[in-house]
Amino acid sequence: QVQLVASGGGLVQAGNSLRLSCVASGRTFSNYVVAWFRQAPGKEREFVAAIVWSGGNTYYANSVKGRFTISRDNAKNTVYLQMNSLKPEDTAVYSCAARTLYYCSGTGCYANPYEYEYWGQGTQVTVSS
């Protein structure tokens, strides 16, 4: 049984940083993509970033490109989301998800939440102005 456990959320002021963690267990993830999504109150779930576990290729939403960095630690089976220069509009519940790898090129790779098989619980990120 695959389990994803997200942590690291909190309340920060605009301009500051947070690092989210997603610990994966239950299988090896060498053929998986792990992503972060977020959902603000009254809004649709939104893609944030994804990483291909085996090759390390990364993908970002335009809204976070240059500010957020997704990475993984194979030894710890953990994916991180380093969030810098946080803005009030980054306030949301952040969730990690995993799906089997498929070949993707161009824009929008791995950004559809309905394609993800496994989900962790969310962690709240609140950015005050």
Side-chain angles (χ1 to χ4, degrees):
Q1 183 72 13
V2 173
Q3 282 194 320
L4 302 172
V5 179
S7 63
L11 171 63
V12 296
Q13 286 191 323
N16 284 352
S17 301
L18 274 177
R19 188 177 78 161
L20 305 183
S21 299
C22 176
V23 180
S25 62
R27 66 172 302 123
T28 57
F29 286 85
S30 56
N31 291 320
Y32 273 72
V33 176
V34 179
W36 287 95
F37 292 85
R38 66 187 183 186
Q39 189 166 21
K43 294 190 175 181
E44 300 259 329
R45 183 171 281 172
E46 175 188 27
F47 170 74
V48 177
I51 186 166
V52 176
W53 194 278
S54 56
N57 290 358
T58 57
Y59 304 84
Y60 296 94
N62 287 334
S63 58
V64 306
K65 205 172 289 185
R67 299 188 298 122
F68 291 11
T69 302
I70 189 170
S71 62
R72 84 238 189 272
D73 184 326
N74 288 340
K76 296 182 179 179
N77 243 27
T78 300
V79 170
Y80 301 102
L81 184 68
Q82 177 66 43
M83 305 186 295
N84 298 330
S85 302
L86 282 161
K87 304 175 181 179
E89 51 264 42
D90 294 319
T91 295
V93 175
Y94 285 69
S95 301
C96 58
R99 63 146 294 142
T100 50
L101 175 65
Y102 68 93
Y103 175 76
C104 182
S105 64
T107 59
C109 285
Y110 311 122
N112 185 348
Y114 297 101
E115 295 179 349
Y116 283 78
E117 304 159 70
Y118 306 106
W119 287 85
Q121 90 293 0
T123 184
Q124 176 72 46
V125 171
T126 303
V127 184
S128 63
S129 57

